[in-house]
Amino acid sequence: MLDKLTAKISDALRVVAGKATITEKNIDDAVDAIKMALLEADVNLRVVRRFVNSTIEEAKGEKVLRAVDPGQQFVKIVHDKLTAYLGDTKQDLQLKGPDTISVILMLGLQGSGKTTSSAKLALRLKKDGRKPLLAACDLVRPAAMEQLAVLGNQIGVPVYKEDGAKDSVAVFKDAMNHARKNMLDTLIVDTTGRLQIDEPMMAELSRLKDAAKPDELLLVADSMTGQSAVDIAKTFDEKIGLTGVILTKFDSDTRGGAALSLKTITGKPLKFVGVGEKPEDFEVFHPDRMASRILGMGDVVSLVEKAQEVIDQKEAEELRKKMEKENFTLEDYLGQIRSMKKMGSLQSMLDMIPGMAGQVSEEDIDKTELKYHEAIISSMTRKERANHLIIGPTRRTRIARGSGTSVAEVGRLLKKFEKMRTMMKKMSKMSRNPAAAQAMLGKMGQFQGR
Ligand SMILES: Nc1nc2c(ncn2[C@@H]2O[C@H](COP(=O)(O)OP(=O)(O)OP(=O)(O)O)[C@@H](O)[C@H]2O)c(=O)[nH]1
Ligand SMILES: [Mg+2]
């Protein structure tokens, strides 16, 4: 996710972040490097120009050059600017209370991810305590209704469809009645997409909009298409009117041009991003956290939140403390392997860890190894899991036999675990202090002689 952009920008910042004093030339160089990174990321030219001018002006002010820690000040300016372009603050859905039915219309071109995102949004709202109903109003593609029905079944959300129906407005009205009768409070309407924006499509959507009087009109756009996603949003907004955007396939978008230009060019907020094919692979969009990720500072808050959905809150807090104090045991590790399986795509999580974005990819993580680890730890006694230091040669042989692995494999796990504990300690400290993470990046840069 945004790997290329993150790599380039953190490189540019590394030069200034670790410095005790910085010059105007340092600032020019860093801004220049960031400018190149943004252009390569397919960020709209207007946005890039504004970014360059305002950053230079602010960074060359007294506040930065004379600051005790000018590098840090500069990083903060860049962080704040990126946050602003990404939309400033998180934009919640504007839905009515549970006594009236709220309607969300999902719009977008063919294959942009409307149907998948409808299901993802339904799951999200269900987790938030609402009672969603998915309405299949894409009547053009025969398989569309079935696809929605399968997804609804998978996430445990009801789907309203009428086989053979011809008029999406009629289906919508029936779906509304169905929601009313069944005490459901949020209607998510999946609509037809076409390859291009054309008159018949817009006419149908307008009719649907007039009938539905939706609370939210969300455009679903493929982030991989960069500026064209922004153009599409602009057109849809002019013709139909939008309340927000969902950018899909963010997991495969290494550049981020669409996300960074959208708000400035269209004035419409980015509300959610799709980060994978599974219904859970969906995130509320937080501009400030995304800015931190782009700067290579990670997004520990989202990571912890995601973990909290599967681990309970107390457990998550305990885990954090354990990581910090190096009290993290093999038992905890086993628990993590198991909850990781429930958390959805591993890549989207890796990118949230400070300093990890773009450094480690899902392929680098050996899933068979995790399976081995699970088997090995499962063959240990409780005492061994609580304190791995007691595991000597005899115990290793027993564990290897019990787990169907070898003594060497047990040894490798223990060595890896030891390393992991050290790294976790460092990371959990950094995560509480983004400035420290950035300073560490700076130091790494000096150390590597950059
Ligand atoms: N990797 C990834 N794939 C996605 C994401 N969102 C959707 N997809 C995939 O994109 C493809 C198209 O998704 P759909 O939800 O069917 O798109 P649609 O807009 O409903 O398409 P039409 O109904 O044909 O207009 C599917 O294979 C999805 O699995 C995402 O966030 N990440
Ligand atoms: Mg569809």
Side-chain angles (χ1 to χ4, degrees):
M1 198 188 296
L2 310 193
D3 298 0
K4 276 193 198 149
L5 181 62
T6 297
K8 292 240 160 74
I9 292 197
S10 47
D11 263 1
L13 290 177
R14 210 170 261 146
V15 180
V16 287
K19 281 202 162 77
T21 56
I22 56 179
T23 63
E24 292 204 356
K25 175 151 191 325
N26 292 146
I27 290 176
D28 286 335
D29 291 348
V31 172
D32 222 37
I34 298 173
K35 176 179 154 190
M36 291 309 295
L38 294 175
L39 287 174
E40 276 175 43
D42 197 20
V43 176
N44 184 284
L45 205 59
R46 250 169 65 201
V47 178
V48 178
R49 277 207 203 105
R50 271 201 225 173
F51 172 86
V52 169
N53 294 336
S54 60
T55 306
I56 290 198
E57 191 181 320
E58 242 179 84
K60 286 191 178 170
E62 294 283 302
K63 253 175 68 196
V64 173
L65 292 177
R66 297 262 170 85
V68 183
D69 200 342
Q72 232 49 267
Q73 286 287 338
F74 180 73
V75 171
K76 186 174 180 307
I77 290 176
V78 175
H79 182 269
D80 291 351
K81 295 259 177 276
L82 287 181
T83 305
Y85 290 124
L86 290 165
D88 251 335
T89 44
K90 173 180 77 111
Q91 299 290 318
D92 292 322
L93 291 180
Q94 302 294 318
L95 301 179
K96 298 189 195 93
D99 44 337
T100 3
I101 300 172
S102 303
V103 177
I104 305 174
L105 217 51
M106 307 287 278
L107 320 168
L109 294 188
Q110 201 170 74
S112 57
K114 288 177 301 299
T115 306
T116 317
S117 301
S118 300
K120 288 174 172 180
L121 186 58
L123 178 63
R124 172 91 264 147
L125 293 175
K126 184 183 158 195
K127 280 184 182 166
D128 290 346
R130 297 190 74 96
K131 296 196 186 70
L133 172 67
L134 285 159
C137 287
D138 175 356
L139 309 177
V140 174
R141 212 162 46 85
M145 285 185 237
E146 201 41 46
Q147 184 192 359
L148 196 65
V150 169
L151 285 168
N153 191 26
Q154 202 180 326
I155 58 174
V157 168
V159 174
Y160 184 83
K161 66 183 175 85
E162 281 175 21
D163 294 324
K166 292 270 179 308
D167 179 16
S168 59
V169 173
V171 176
F172 166 79
K173 286 182 178 157
D174 294 343
M176 250 337 228
N177 280 330
H178 183 85
R180 223 170 270 130
K181 274 195 213 123
N182 292 280
M183 315 279 279
L184 303 168
D185 58 30
T186 317
L187 190 57
I188 302 172
V189 185
D190 183 25
T191 63
T192 309
R194 287 176 207 265
L195 280 176
Q196 291 168 16
I197 297 171
D198 55 25
E199 280 313 317
M201 176 196 204
M202 289 300 172
E204 188 194 338
L205 292 176
S206 282
R207 249 169 33 89
L208 201 52
K209 179 193 166 181
D210 292 343
K213 301 193 179 49
D215 301 271
E216 288 279 349
L217 279 126
L218 300 178
L219 176 80
V220 179
D222 180 344
S223 65
M224 304 257 287
T225 61
Q227 282 319 292
S228 99
V230 179
D231 294 338
I232 291 163
K234 220 171 152 205
T235 312
F236 267 89
D237 188 39
E238 283 161 8
K239 304 241 161 158
I240 313 274
L242 297 176
T243 58
V245 178
I246 298 176
L247 274 184
T248 59
K249 308 177 198 177
F250 212 57
D251 48 309
S252 321
D253 180 18
T254 60
R255 308 197 295 171
L260 273 158
S261 319
L262 190 75
K263 183 66 199 297
T264 310
I265 303 301
T266 68
K268 298 298 159 183
L270 177 51
K271 294 194 171 175
F272 298 94
V273 287
V275 294
E277 299 198 25
K278 286 197 244 112
E280 302 81 33
D281 296 333
F282 195 60
E283 293 176 9
V284 175
F285 188 74
H286 291 268
D288 50 338
R289 298 186 195 173
M290 190 53 65
S292 301
R293 271 200 222 179
I294 293 173
L295 296 190
M297 284 151 54
D299 178 2
V300 175
V301 189
S302 296
L303 184 65
V304 170
E305 277 179 3
K306 200 154 191 177
Q308 275 169 358
E309 283 176 20
V310 281
I311 311 171
D312 79 63
Q313 197 150 351
K314 236 174 81 197
E315 239 176 279
E317 179 55 20
E318 267 167 26
L319 200 62
R320 197 189 62 71
K321 278 191 195 141
K322 278 183 172 170
M323 277 158 81
E324 199 168 84
K325 287 196 189 131
E326 248 183 303
N327 284 340
F328 186 73
T329 65
L330 283 167
E331 183 74 48
D332 300 324
Y333 179 44
L334 183 63
Q336 278 205 317
I337 295 179
R338 287 180 177 158
S339 41
M340 208 133 87
K341 285 185 181 162
K342 287 191 261 170
M343 265 200 254
S345 126
L346 206 52
Q347 187 65 55
S348 70
M349 285 170 33
L350 283 172
D351 288 339
M352 294 185 205
I353 300 172
M356 285 282 219
Q359 308 282 323
V360 185
S361 77
E362 191 157 350
E363 287 89 64
D364 293 338
I365 292 188
D366 194 345
K367 283 190 193 135
T368 29
E369 185 178 51
L370 287 183
K371 256 188 232 151
Y372 270 117
H373 285 186
E374 188 178 358
I376 294 171
I377 302 173
S378 302
S379 293
M380 294 178 182
T381 63
R382 286 181 79 167
K383 244 174 139 181
E384 288 162 349
R385 291 183 201 180
N387 180 11
H388 65 289
L389 297 173
I390 64 168
I391 306 176
T394 333
R395 287 177 191 262
R396 284 183 197 208
T397 314
R398 192 205 79 239
I399 294 165
R401 208 179 305 126
S403 58
T405 59
S406 66
V407 175
E409 255 156 340
V410 176
R412 262 203 299 278
L413 159 74
L414 292 171
K415 223 180 193 168
K416 266 221 160 137
F417 177 69
E418 197 49 64
K419 256 198 198 155
M420 201 185 307
R421 271 164 46 112
T422 320
M423 211 169 89
M424 279 178 169
K425 189 179 172 189
K426 275 192 202 140
M427 261 167 32
S428 59
K429 276 194 182 150
M430 278 188 343
S431 67
R432 291 202 300 175
N433 181 359
Q438 198 56 48
M440 182 143 155
L441 262 182
K443 284 201 192 94
M444 266 159 47
Q446 285 169 343
F447 181 67
Q448 289 162 1
R450 277 181 199 253

